[in-house]
Every structure is written in C-alpha cells, then in structure tokens.
Amino acid sequence: MPELPEVETIARSLATRIRGRTITTIEKLDWERMVDMPDIPTFRATIPGRSIVDTGRRAKWLLLGLDSGWSLAMHMRMSGRISVQAHDTEPDKHTHLVLELDSHERIFFRDPRKFGRVRLMDAAGSATLDASLGLEPLGENFTPERLAQILMTHRTRLKPLLLNQTHIAGLGNIYVDESLWHAQIHPLRLSNTITQEEIARLHSAIQMVLNQAIEYGGSTLRDYRDGHGKPGRNQEHFSVYNSKDKPCPRCQTPIVRLVVAQRGTHICPTCQRIDNIVGL
DNA sequence: CATTACCTGCAA
DNA sequence: TTGCAGGTAATG
C-alpha cells in the first residue's frame, strides 16, 4: 500500500508520540515470518528496554532509530498499517506486532496480507539496507542529470525502471502512473530514447507529484492510514490512477487501463502517445 | 524479461 | 466465483 508519501506521512505523524519513549515489551508477535532479521529469540530479547531516539524514512521503509545504534525498520508492503494506539485499544486479528511504550501507548503493526516486514538492525545492517536502495527522489542528489544517467544507462521500459527501487527508491504504482501522466510520457517508452525535454518534465513531475501527495497526507484507496489512523486526501487529486474511463484532466479523453510490468497502469492515450514507445 | 509466490479481503 | 489490490523476492 504505502509508497514514499504515505510512509513519510506516517513517520511525521508518529514522531511526537513515540520519540523519546522506551519500548517496554513486545506485547504481541503472532506472525514471526514478518521478522526479517535477526532471528526471533534475538529480536524478542533485544527490543524491550530500547528507547526510540528518532523517527524517519528511507524509500518505503519506516525507520525507528533506537539507542545503542540499533534501528527498527518496518516495511508495509501492500496492506500494512502502522499506528500508535491508546493503552486500552485491543489489537484485532490482523495486528501481528504490538510494542508497548513506557507512556502506556502502543505501536500497532497491522497487516491483513502478511507481506509486511520488520528488521532490527545495527549500524552495519542499516548501512546495508541503505546501500541496497537507490536515490531518494526528493533528495538533493536527485537531479535531472542523475535521472538522465539512470535512464540512458538502461534500455528498458520506463515504468518498470521507475518501480525498481535500486535506481530511484520510493515510487510505487500510483506515483509512477501520476508522474508519467504529468510528464506526458508513455509507460512503455524505452528509457534510453527519452529526450532532454522529457527528462526535465519527468524529473519535475516526480517531485511535484510526491510533494503534493505529502501535502495531502498520502493517498487512501482502502488500507492506508497515517500514524493516528486518519486517511489521506491525495486520492482526490489523482489525474489518472484508479480513473479508468474518467476524462483526462488535460484533454478529456477517457483514461485507459492497461497492464505494464504486471501492474494495472493508467494512462491518457492522447497525452501519452503509444507511437512514442519505439522512441524513434 | 516474464511469471510465480507470498496472503487476505473485497467488489464485480 | 473470479479477479484484483498501494510490493518485492524468488524462479524460469
């Protein structure tokens, strides 16, 4: 579910309620496969007593910086939801991890589809995770020049390239479709045939789309909520995503849904011309 | 590169 | 009942 703007919103909304708090106990962990690392006994033994010194985000990972150099990284994949709950709120059957804080509030990780993951990492583990991920699209290193370099050194379809987290990290299905619509580029276009003008449009489209989504608190289609349980409002501002048969906001042509990279993909067939995919 | 697996819930 | 879902890792 959550892409970069949703994880960013969750990180910000959690901060004031959990920063400076100490995790007293793991109150519930009933789906152990969600723990990537370390092994379960070590995870259970290390978490209690750790204090949360920082909250942040890297790509689609929510990061809780703990004392002694530890970090707890959480990835919500498709249906995960992370929130802070009052001490008297009972976790439902889909809430697989509950961390109790010394404030008596609790961090809930709820995930019906069980794709979500948690990693407890030391400094070296954090560095490994960081190194496995590409550029932050809202970071200062993400320039039109770096984008051009990424596109020109591959010859693959644009959409799968933009979804690949090892190049640019944080975009998912929603924001790739929205960015390509704003840039007026077809998702099947080959990356190394993009013009300088198109690169400039794509670069600014990506940043605009992500910044706008953060402003509106993320996009809620079904599962997403922020750290307080509130849905986002950015879905009200989609141009193409989830908008099959609705008029293109730019030219009124009905939006078309196709499948690219095995993902539902939404385009305006007029603004994002198919004949550009050959890239002549 | 494409397909499958991982899971469950919900809408068509 | 079938197909689809905001993600990624593991397979051909």
Side-chain angles (χ1 to χ4, degrees), chain A residues 72-237:
Chain A
L72 190 59
M74 304 185 182
H75 199 302
M76 289 163 271
R77 295 280 183 97
M78 292 290 268
S79 61
R81 190 188 287 184
I82 292 167
S83 61
V84 187
Q85 301 285 337
H87 69 284
D88 57 350
T89 305
E90 285 305 307
D92 71 1
K93 68 169 181 177
H94 298 299
T95 301
H96 301 299
L97 177 64
V98 175
L99 304 176
E100 177 146 84
L101 305 176
D102 57 356
S103 60
H104 302 297
E105 293 193 305
R106 299 146 152 187
I107 298 172
F108 279 23
F109 191 156
R110 180 182 190 274
D111 186 8
R113 294 181 71 178
K114 301 176 177 173
F115 291 165
R117 293 293 181 265
V118 175
R119 289 184 187 183
L120 177 64
M121 309 174 297
D122 59 15
S126 297
T128 301
L129 175 61
D130 184 62
S132 71
L133 297 163
L135 285 179
E136 282 290 330
L138 296 181
E140 57 185 26
N141 291 334
F142 183 65
T143 60
E145 292 71 30
R146 292 299 305 278
L147 177 60
Q149 182 182 40
I150 292 165
L151 299 183
M152 301 315 280
T153 55
H154 296 84
R155 66 174 73 113
T156 180
R157 294 161 172 178
L158 213 42
K159 176 152 182 175
L161 186 78
L162 294 173
L163 287 171
N164 185 331
Q165 303 295 300
T166 66
H167 301 122
I168 300 168
L171 293 174
N173 208 32
I174 293 177
Y175 300 111
V176 166
D177 281 8
E178 291 293 312
S179 296
L180 289 171
W181 178 84
H182 279 279
Q184 302 186 58
I185 304 172
H186 197 284
L188 291 176
R189 184 71 177 280
L190 295 181
S191 64
N192 61 335
T193 68
I194 298 280
T195 67
Q196 287 303 311
E197 296 86 73
E198 288 172 318
I199 290 169
R201 291 209 304 270
L202 182 58
H203 177 267
S204 61
I206 288 170
Q207 294 199 324
M208 189 276 287
V209 159
L210 295 176
N211 280 319
Q212 178 201 268
I214 292 170
E215 274 179 46
Y216 288 112
S219 303
T220 297
L221 282 103
R222 48 199 308 156
D223 295 308
Y224 167 72
R225 299 291 185 281
D226 74 7
H228 305 307
K230 292 188 351 192
R233 289 164 284 113
N234 189 245
Q235 66 281 0
E236 298 160 20
H237 301 273

Side-chain angles (χ1 to χ4, degrees), chain A residues 1 4 26 28 31 35 40 49 53 59 68 70 73 79 98 101 103 116 125 138 159 163 209 222 224 245 248 254 262:
Chain A
M1 154 194 66
L4 183 155
I26 298 177
K28 181 177 183 184
W31 182 252
V35 179
I40 298 298
V53 300
S68 311
W70 292 102
S79 61
V98 175
L101 305 176
S103 60
L138 296 181
K159 176 152 182 175
L163 287 171
V209 159
R222 48 199 308 156
Y224 167 72
D245 297 331
C248 166
Q262 293 75 241

Side-chain angles (χ1 to χ4, degrees), chain A residues 233-254:
Chain A
R233 289 164 284 113
N234 189 245
Q235 66 281 0
E236 298 160 20
H237 301 273
F238 287 163
S239 297
V240 287
Y241 192 81
N242 222 226
S243 305
K244 176 172 149 56
D245 297 331
K246 292 182 186 165
C248 166
R250 189 188 286 117
C251 75
Q252 316 308 317
T253 304

